[in-house]
Amino acid sequence: MWRELAIAAIGVLTLTNLGHAASGAAIGGGDPYPVSDYSCEDGTRLAVRLLGDRASVSVNGAAAIDLPALGQDGTTYSNGRQTLTIIQGRLSWGVGRAVPSACTGG
């Protein structure tokens, strides 16, 4: 009986350690598309994930929208109404024909 309890205890400890190692490795590690948070001069808050051919943007905590990249340089993303622009590391956000607002963070 002691042998069975010892085997069961070793099994539980092994599974517990495997669970911690797997979850620890997954936290923030290996995400090729991290989310960056920005605050814009007009008060807008953005959560931006750059995905190469598009940007996924959450505006003020709302559900994310996908904005396709315009051109080959990958610095402007727009759906025709909302536009995210990144020039020399500076991000700006524009809606419609309004003047884009500068954003900081990242």
Side-chain angles (χ1 to χ4, degrees), residues 4-81:
E4 292 171 4
L5 286 174
I7 292 172
I10 290 171
V12 169
L13 290 173
T14 302
L15 290 175
T16 302
N17 286 336
L18 287 176
H20 288 298
S23 65
I27 296 172
D31 184 358
Y33 306 110
V35 174
S36 297
D37 295 316
Y38 294 89
S39 295
C40 303
E41 289 177 347
D42 66 359
T44 303
R45 291 175 292 108
L46 303 175
V48 178
R49 184 180 300 235
L50 299 177
L51 304 168
D53 64 339
R54 68 192 187 288
S56 176
V57 181
S58 172
V59 181
N60 296 326
I65 56 170
D66 280 346
L67 303 176
L70 301 179
Q72 299 297 318
D73 59 0
T75 59
T76 301
Y77 304 87
S78 181
N79 61 6
R81 169 131 173 80

